[in-house]
Amino acid sequence: MIALEQVAKTYQSPLRGRTVHALRELSLTISRGEVFGIAGPNGAGKSTLLSLLLGFLHPTSGTVRVGGQSPRSYVEGHGVGYLTELVAMPRRWTVESALHRYATLAGLVPADRRLRTEAVIERLGLEEHRRKQVRQLSKGNLQRLGLAQALLRDTELLVLDEPTHGLDPLWTQRFRDLVDAERRPDRVVLIASHNLDELERLADRVAILHQGRLERIVTAGRQPAAQRGPYRLVVPPGTELGALLAGAEPVAGRPGQFRLTGELAVLNRGLAALLAAGGVVEAFYPERSRLESEFRTAVGEDA
């Protein structure tokens, strides 16, 4: 569905006259049926990559293809569902009229405009807000309106830039359900986000960018081979670990919680010994998600 080969994008800084390398020799393939994540620190090249895929920019070198076509040709011929990082609409538009306008721009015929508008209003919980003006919406409701317009047209490519920005915990959870519902064999759902936990929950694979380079692609559900923690152990307060789990560090202000590092096989033997001695383990889990561990390794602990 999406193929980039040795793509580079450079800009000339108007202030200092120097060359800025936004992307460097990036090669990437994304297949139909995938929910694909893009992560990276600020300035890593995420926005430039999305702009290339949507045809807003052209690469300085290399090739970008979407559905076998140039991005602009694909967008014009097939359409793309797109949520921008910052949702901005005319402040006097109402929720309902905004969606009708975007449905018109998406090329939907009048009957479909009404049906799709009503459908996304219901899916995004905007019924009570349909007659409110954009300027009256909270940040979270504006974000839901942005998601609604991205879903108006049934497209094979859905691009979501920071989709959970401003959403409350309830709608963050509902967004996960929404993405699961949008999965299908002929579609790519592309999500760019700083929220690594969200990407780990949703994406099949995640590309990690740093300083314009593709550092690695992480497949969801795979533990890094060299993972050594830190892990968090929770036991009843007052439990003595002694030599069973050497090096366990108490967590300040959290009675019964300890931080552990080391090879997982070694820690498992210590936990087994603790249980055999009559101890109780209430919880044992990595303090960092798998994706976060890969991310820190890829871009550096200080990024």
mmCIF file of all heavy atoms in Angstrom, residues 1-27:
data_model
loop_
_atom_site.group_PDB
_atom_site.id
_atom_site.type_symbol
_atom_site.label_atom_id
_atom_site.label_comp_id
_atom_site.label_asym_id
_atom_site.label_seq_id
_atom_site.Cartn_x
_atom_site.Cartn_y
_atom_site.Cartn_z
ATOM 1 N N MET A 1 0.827 -1.217 0.000
ATOM 2 C CA MET A 1 0.000 0.000 0.000
ATOM 3 C C MET A 1 0.862 1.269 0.000
ATOM 4 O O MET A 1 0.658 2.192 -0.767
ATOM 5 C CB MET A 1 -0.912 -0.014 1.225
ATOM 6 C CG MET A 1 -1.771 1.228 1.387
ATOM 7 S SD MET A 1 -3.025 1.366 0.117
ATOM 8 C CE MET A 1 -4.027 2.695 0.763
ATOM 9 N N ILE A 2 1.869 1.303 0.923
ATOM 10 C CA ILE A 2 2.766 2.451 1.023
ATOM 11 C C ILE A 2 4.205 1.966 0.881
ATOM 12 O O ILE A 2 4.600 0.993 1.526
ATOM 13 C CB ILE A 2 2.591 3.179 2.374
ATOM 14 C CG1 ILE A 2 1.187 3.797 2.454
ATOM 15 C CG2 ILE A 2 3.665 4.240 2.572
ATOM 16 C CD1 ILE A 2 0.876 4.403 3.805
ATOM 17 N N ALA A 3 4.970 2.620 0.042
ATOM 18 C CA ALA A 3 6.365 2.239 -0.154
ATOM 19 C C ALA A 3 7.222 3.493 -0.286
ATOM 20 O O ALA A 3 6.942 4.358 -1.122
ATOM 21 C CB ALA A 3 6.510 1.361 -1.397
ATOM 22 N N LEU A 4 8.224 3.599 0.560
ATOM 23 C CA LEU A 4 9.208 4.674 0.472
ATOM 24 C C LEU A 4 10.581 4.042 0.272
ATOM 25 O O LEU A 4 10.925 3.073 0.953
ATOM 26 C CB LEU A 4 9.232 5.535 1.750
ATOM 27 C CG LEU A 4 7.947 6.276 2.106
ATOM 28 C CD1 LEU A 4 7.095 5.439 3.067
ATOM 29 C CD2 LEU A 4 8.262 7.628 2.752
ATOM 30 N N GLU A 5 11.325 4.582 -0.669
ATOM 31 C CA GLU A 5 12.643 4.031 -0.973
ATOM 32 C C GLU A 5 13.690 5.136 -0.982
ATOM 33 O O GLU A 5 13.626 6.065 -1.782
ATOM 34 C CB GLU A 5 12.621 3.312 -2.317
ATOM 35 C CG GLU A 5 13.937 2.618 -2.639
ATOM 36 C CD GLU A 5 13.859 1.777 -3.907
ATOM 37 O OE1 GLU A 5 12.745 1.610 -4.440
ATOM 38 O OE2 GLU A 5 14.916 1.303 -4.364
ATOM 39 N N GLN A 6 14.606 5.033 -0.019
ATOM 40 C CA GLN A 6 15.729 5.972 0.091
ATOM 41 C C GLN A 6 15.259 7.432 0.028
ATOM 42 O O GLN A 6 15.820 8.263 -0.696
ATOM 43 C CB GLN A 6 16.746 5.691 -1.011
ATOM 44 C CG GLN A 6 17.462 4.363 -0.881
ATOM 45 C CD GLN A 6 18.350 4.308 0.353
ATOM 46 O OE1 GLN A 6 19.266 5.097 0.518
ATOM 47 N NE2 GLN A 6 18.048 3.366 1.248
ATOM 48 N N VAL A 7 14.241 7.728 0.817
ATOM 49 C CA VAL A 7 13.631 9.059 0.774
ATOM 50 C C VAL A 7 14.408 10.027 1.666
ATOM 51 O O VAL A 7 14.713 9.732 2.824
ATOM 52 C CB VAL A 7 12.155 8.994 1.221
ATOM 53 C CG1 VAL A 7 11.586 10.398 1.412
ATOM 54 C CG2 VAL A 7 11.342 8.224 0.196
ATOM 55 N N ALA A 8 14.691 11.180 1.112
ATOM 56 C CA ALA A 8 15.315 12.264 1.869
ATOM 57 C C ALA A 8 14.535 13.546 1.613
ATOM 58 O O ALA A 8 13.972 13.755 0.530
ATOM 59 C CB ALA A 8 16.774 12.453 1.465
ATOM 60 N N LYS A 9 14.475 14.380 2.636
ATOM 61 C CA LYS A 9 13.841 15.694 2.490
ATOM 62 C C LYS A 9 14.691 16.711 3.222
ATOM 63 O O LYS A 9 14.961 16.573 4.411
ATOM 64 C CB LYS A 9 12.424 15.686 3.070
ATOM 65 C CG LYS A 9 11.695 17.016 2.928
ATOM 66 C CD LYS A 9 11.498 17.409 1.467
ATOM 67 C CE LYS A 9 10.790 18.752 1.334
ATOM 68 N NZ LYS A 9 10.647 19.140 -0.097
ATOM 69 N N THR A 10 15.123 17.729 2.484
ATOM 70 C CA THR A 10 15.940 18.783 3.077
ATOM 71 C C THR A 10 15.265 20.131 2.871
ATOM 72 O O THR A 10 14.501 20.336 1.925
ATOM 73 C CB THR A 10 17.344 18.813 2.461
ATOM 74 O OG1 THR A 10 17.226 19.031 1.048
ATOM 75 C CG2 THR A 10 18.081 17.498 2.706
ATOM 76 N N TYR A 11 15.536 21.039 3.793
ATOM 77 C CA TYR A 11 15.050 22.414 3.716
ATOM 78 C C TYR A 11 16.246 23.351 3.835
ATOM 79 O O TYR A 11 17.259 23.014 4.455
ATOM 80 C CB TYR A 11 14.084 22.732 4.856
ATOM 81 C CG TYR A 11 12.879 21.834 4.959
ATOM 82 C CD1 TYR A 11 12.870 20.742 5.830
ATOM 83 C CD2 TYR A 11 11.736 22.079 4.217
ATOM 84 C CE1 TYR A 11 11.762 19.921 5.947
ATOM 85 C CE2 TYR A 11 10.618 21.268 4.323
ATOM 86 C CZ TYR A 11 10.638 20.199 5.197
ATOM 87 O OH TYR A 11 9.533 19.386 5.312
ATOM 88 N N GLN A 12 16.075 24.518 3.284
ATOM 89 C CA GLN A 12 17.070 25.561 3.479
ATOM 90 C C GLN A 12 16.557 26.532 4.534
ATOM 91 O O GLN A 12 15.492 27.129 4.367
ATOM 92 C CB GLN A 12 17.343 26.312 2.167
ATOM 93 C CG GLN A 12 18.015 25.468 1.098
ATOM 94 C CD GLN A 12 19.390 24.977 1.526
ATOM 95 O OE1 GLN A 12 20.164 25.715 2.141
ATOM 96 N NE2 GLN A 12 19.677 23.720 1.221
ATOM 97 N N SER A 13 17.289 26.668 5.617
ATOM 98 C CA SER A 13 16.873 27.568 6.682
ATOM 99 C C SER A 13 16.961 29.009 6.200
ATOM 100 O O SER A 13 18.039 29.465 5.782
ATOM 101 C CB SER A 13 17.767 27.387 7.915
ATOM 102 O OG SER A 13 17.499 28.385 8.871
ATOM 103 N N PRO A 14 15.854 29.778 6.240
ATOM 104 C CA PRO A 14 15.892 31.152 5.737
ATOM 105 C C PRO A 14 16.688 32.086 6.639
ATOM 106 O O PRO A 14 17.134 33.136 6.198
ATOM 107 C CB PRO A 14 14.408 31.555 5.707
ATOM 108 C CG PRO A 14 13.765 30.697 6.734
ATOM 109 C CD PRO A 14 14.507 29.386 6.705
ATOM 110 N N LEU A 15 16.871 31.711 7.896
ATOM 111 C CA LEU A 15 17.559 32.596 8.835
ATOM 112 C C LEU A 15 19.069 32.449 8.754
ATOM 113 O O LEU A 15 19.795 33.428 8.674
ATOM 114 C CB LEU A 15 17.078 32.320 10.261
ATOM 115 C CG LEU A 15 15.593 32.600 10.531
ATOM 116 C CD1 LEU A 15 15.242 32.244 11.975
ATOM 117 C CD2 LEU A 15 15.281 34.072 10.274
ATOM 118 N N ARG A 16 19.535 31.193 8.766
ATOM 119 C CA ARG A 16 20.979 30.974 8.794
ATOM 120 C C ARG A 16 21.534 30.466 7.473
ATOM 121 O O ARG A 16 22.746 30.328 7.317
ATOM 122 C CB ARG A 16 21.325 29.985 9.906
ATOM 123 C CG ARG A 16 20.910 30.479 11.294
ATOM 124 C CD ARG A 16 21.346 29.509 12.366
ATOM 125 N NE ARG A 16 20.974 29.987 13.698
ATOM 126 C CZ ARG A 16 21.243 29.324 14.828
ATOM 127 N NH1 ARG A 16 21.887 28.177 14.764
ATOM 128 N NH2 ARG A 16 20.867 29.830 15.991
ATOM 129 N N GLY A 17 20.631 30.165 6.546
ATOM 130 C CA GLY A 17 21.087 29.696 5.253
ATOM 131 C C GLY A 17 21.669 28.302 5.260
ATOM 132 O O GLY A 17 22.335 27.893 4.309
ATOM 133 N N ARG A 18 21.422 27.544 6.310
ATOM 134 C CA ARG A 18 21.977 26.190 6.384
ATOM 135 C C ARG A 18 20.941 25.171 5.932
ATOM 136 O O ARG A 18 19.744 25.432 5.906
ATOM 137 C CB ARG A 18 22.452 25.869 7.800
ATOM 138 C CG ARG A 18 21.358 25.854 8.845
ATOM 139 C CD ARG A 18 21.963 25.678 10.248
ATOM 140 N NE ARG A 18 20.931 25.643 11.273
ATOM 141 C CZ ARG A 18 20.325 24.544 11.687
ATOM 142 N NH1 ARG A 18 20.653 23.372 11.137
ATOM 143 N NH2 ARG A 18 19.406 24.591 12.627
ATOM 144 N N THR A 19 21.409 23.986 5.587
ATOM 145 C CA THR A 19 20.535 22.910 5.141
ATOM 146 C C THR A 19 20.043 22.108 6.336
ATOM 147 O O THR A 19 20.831 21.689 7.189
ATOM 148 C CB THR A 19 21.275 21.983 4.162
ATOM 149 O OG1 THR A 19 21.707 22.748 3.030
ATOM 150 C CG2 THR A 19 20.370 20.854 3.700
ATOM 151 N N VAL A 20 18.736 21.905 6.400
ATOM 152 C CA VAL A 20 18.125 21.098 7.459
ATOM 153 C C VAL A 20 17.698 19.767 6.850
ATOM 154 O O VAL A 20 16.941 19.736 5.876
ATOM 155 C CB VAL A 20 16.906 21.815 8.070
ATOM 156 C CG1 VAL A 20 16.238 20.929 9.125
ATOM 157 C CG2 VAL A 20 17.322 23.151 8.674
ATOM 158 N N HIS A 21 18.188 18.677 7.422
ATOM 159 C CA HIS A 21 17.850 17.341 6.936
ATOM 160 C C HIS A 21 16.675 16.810 7.753
ATOM 161 O O HIS A 21 16.857 16.268 8.842
ATOM 162 C CB HIS A 21 19.055 16.409 7.048
ATOM 163 C CG HIS A 21 20.216 16.816 6.195
ATOM 164 N ND1 HIS A 21 20.331 16.452 4.870
ATOM 165 C CD2 HIS A 21 21.301 17.593 6.478
ATOM 166 C CE1 HIS A 21 21.442 16.952 4.366
ATOM 167 N NE2 HIS A 21 22.049 17.660 5.318
ATOM 168 N N ALA A 22 15.470 16.958 7.207
ATOM 169 C CA ALA A 22 14.277 16.505 7.927
ATOM 170 C C ALA A 22 14.140 14.988 7.878
ATOM 171 O O ALA A 22 13.721 14.366 8.848
ATOM 172 C CB ALA A 22 13.030 17.159 7.349
ATOM 173 N N LEU A 23 14.470 14.387 6.728
ATOM 174 C CA LEU A 23 14.474 12.933 6.573
ATOM 175 C C LEU A 23 15.733 12.527 5.831
ATOM 176 O O LEU A 23 16.166 13.217 4.906
ATOM 177 C CB LEU A 23 13.242 12.445 5.815
ATOM 178 C CG LEU A 23 11.885 12.526 6.522
ATOM 179 C CD1 LEU A 23 10.772 12.083 5.579
ATOM 180 C CD2 LEU A 23 11.857 11.693 7.795
ATOM 181 N N ARG A 24 16.293 11.364 6.202
ATOM 182 C CA ARG A 24 17.529 10.900 5.599
ATOM 183 C C ARG A 24 17.392 9.431 5.184
ATOM 184 O O ARG A 24 17.178 8.562 6.032
ATOM 185 C CB ARG A 24 18.700 11.013 6.588
ATOM 186 C CG ARG A 24 18.921 12.404 7.164
ATOM 187 C CD ARG A 24 19.904 12.326 8.322
ATOM 188 N NE ARG A 24 20.107 13.596 9.001
ATOM 189 C CZ ARG A 24 21.185 14.358 8.867
ATOM 190 N NH1 ARG A 24 22.156 13.982 8.046
ATOM 191 N NH2 ARG A 24 21.302 15.490 9.524
ATOM 192 N N GLU A 25 17.473 9.150 3.909
ATOM 193 C CA GLU A 25 17.574 7.790 3.360
ATOM 194 C C GLU A 25 16.579 6.832 4.025
ATOM 195 O O GLU A 25 16.941 5.757 4.488
ATOM 196 C CB GLU A 25 19.003 7.272 3.528
ATOM 197 C CG GLU A 25 20.025 8.136 2.799
ATOM 198 C CD GLU A 25 21.442 7.648 3.041
ATOM 199 O OE1 GLU A 25 21.642 6.812 3.941
ATOM 200 O OE2 GLU A 25 22.346 8.102 2.328
ATOM 201 N N LEU A 26 15.329 7.213 4.039
ATOM 202 C CA LEU A 26 14.305 6.424 4.724
ATOM 203 C C LEU A 26 13.637 5.460 3.742
ATOM 204 O O LEU A 26 13.097 5.874 2.720
ATOM 205 C CB LEU A 26 13.260 7.349 5.351
ATOM 206 C CG LEU A 26 12.249 6.725 6.312
ATOM 207 C CD1 LEU A 26 11.777 7.759 7.318
ATOM 208 C CD2 LEU A 26 11.041 6.156 5.571
ATOM 209 N N SER A 27 13.688 4.172 4.061
ATOM 210 C CA SER A 27 13.014 3.146 3.278
ATOM 211 C C SER A 27 12.030 2.416 4.184
ATOM 212 O O SER A 27 12.381 2.017 5.295
ATOM 213 C CB SER A 27 14.014 2.154 2.681
ATOM 214 O OG SER A 27 14.856 2.797 1.741
#
